[in-house]
Amino acid sequence: MSAIAVHCQNLVKIYATGNQKVTALNGINLDIAQGELMMLVGPSGCGKTTLISVIAGILDQDDGVCELFGQNILKMRSAEKLKFRAQNIGFVFQAFNLLPALNAMENVSVPLIINGVRRQTAERQAAAVLEQVGLGERRKSLPAELSGGQQQRVAIARALVHSPRLIVCDEPTSALDHESGRNVMTLLKDVALHKDRTLVIVTHDARIFEFADRMAKMDDGHIVNVSGSKPLHEAL
Ligand SMILES: Nc1ncnc2c1ncn2[C@@H]1O[C@H](COP(=O)(O)OP(=O)(O)O)[C@@H](O)[C@H]1O
Ligand SMILES: [Mg+2]
């Protein structure tokens, strides 16, 4: 029996720029089970990136509660929060956010190094995950020497390498062709199914919808509909 991995209750996030206010999250309620692959869809600007940033502890909400594996990260001290995030969360940014001076293997090693793994061991594990995303041969390449799709796969490898319990991805197949997109999704799905990891994936890519256990549709800061083959009470 699995537990709730992500619990969002009445989440509100308001951005204030100058004297303008944008309500990016307007009362989000969502529970995601451990081992579940949840997709988040909705029009541009509806709050998807904001929601996953709050879930991953990158952004603080203005109201409401977000718990990960029963823990409220907003209440943690900053050092404790950094450690919790480093151990438990893998994040694939929409813009990849690779470190330009580090090669692919070094970029993928970073989460392991942060968690205290020795450099040599970290690089060996990083090379193995790069192999899984089809980039074994390119492990010594710098981000600038890689195509957008290859950089995206490095970013995905970096989110997986430290075996986090929660993997959050912002448009992880946006730069990938059909076949690479399916390969990456097969890998992510396998991690959810066989390793009981939880995945939250923002996407516009209808070609990968079939990989979802459930799909939450957002609009204007709200979740308007949650659908899928597995209702949460069955996933639990
Ligand atoms: N840093 C920011 N400052 C001000 N407004 C922002 C910021 N980030 C996002 N927004 C606004 O919040 C809303 C939701 O944005 P976002 O979460 O990025 O949506 P999505 O990922 O679904 O496209 C949009 O109206 C966007 O313009
Ligand atoms: Mg976005």
Side-chain angles (χ1 to χ4, degrees):
M1 197 168 100
S2 37
I4 299 264
V6 179
H7 172 66
C8 301
Q9 196 183 332
N10 201 24
L11 280 183
V12 173
K13 177 70 194 178
I14 299 164
Y15 293 108
T17 38
N19 51 9
Q20 234 191 346
K21 282 187 176 174
V22 177
T23 303
L25 303 179
N26 197 359
I28 297 282
N29 294 298
L30 184 66
D31 283 335
I32 306 172
Q34 199 167 307
E36 192 172 31
L37 194 157
M38 170 69 86
M39 281 188 192
L40 269 182
V41 297
S44 180
C46 72
K48 304 180 297 294
T49 297
T50 303
L51 177 57
I52 59 170
S53 303
V54 171
I55 288 174
I58 292 169
L59 199 65
D60 291 345
Q61 69 270 32
D62 295 303
D63 201 2
V65 174
C66 180
E67 286 176 355
L68 299 186
F69 310 104
Q71 298 208 56
N72 186 336
I73 37 177
L74 196 66
K75 290 196 173 158
M76 291 179 187
R77 291 161 178 273
S78 66
E80 187 190 358
K81 181 169 163 177
L82 281 176
K83 188 172 170 200
F84 181 87
R85 277 177 42 200
Q87 287 177 343
N88 293 289
I89 302 173
F91 201 100
V92 180
F93 294 89
Q94 203 161 6
F96 318 146
N97 294 11
L98 300 176
L99 297 165
L102 302 186
N103 71 32
M105 186 172 64
E106 291 162 342
N107 263 289
V108 176
S109 305
V110 166
L112 292 170
I113 307 254
I114 290 174
N115 280 297
V117 176
R118 282 176 48 237
R119 189 189 179 96
Q120 220 179 1
T121 312
E123 292 194 345
R124 193 161 6 99
Q125 291 178 16
V129 185
L130 281 170
E131 198 74 53
Q132 285 186 305
V133 298
L135 287 178
E137 308 274 284
R138 303 307 302 272
R139 64 185 180 280
K140 296 281 173 68
S141 302
L142 294 172
E145 296 162 349
L146 298 170
S147 70
Q150 289 168 333
Q151 291 181 46
Q152 189 159 40
R153 283 183 282 157
V154 174
I156 290 162
R158 182 179 57 183
L160 295 174
V161 73
H162 54 310
S163 302
R165 287 200 281 174
L166 174 67
I167 299 146
V168 182
C169 310
D170 206 349
E171 309 266 3
T173 59
S174 61
L176 302 180
D177 60 59
H178 188 55
E179 195 192 339
S180 311
R182 289 195 68 88
N183 289 343
V184 158
M185 285 310 301
T186 303
L187 175 66
L188 294 175
K189 182 82 180 180
D190 189 64
V191 166
L193 266 182
H194 299 296
K195 299 193 172 155
D196 209 26
R197 308 275 157 67
T198 304
L199 283 101
V200 185
I201 299 179
V202 168
T203 190
H204 276 113
D205 186 355
R207 299 172 307 180
I208 67 167
F209 287 174
E210 66 187 273
F211 289 91
D213 291 316
R214 288 191 302 153
M215 193 171 287
K217 206 167 155 192
M218 284 185 73
D219 197 13
D220 204 14
H222 294 279
I223 287 179
V224 288
N225 174 258
V226 182
S227 61
S229 50
K230 258 200 306 191
L232 183 66
H233 66 269
E234 279 178 27
L236 290 173

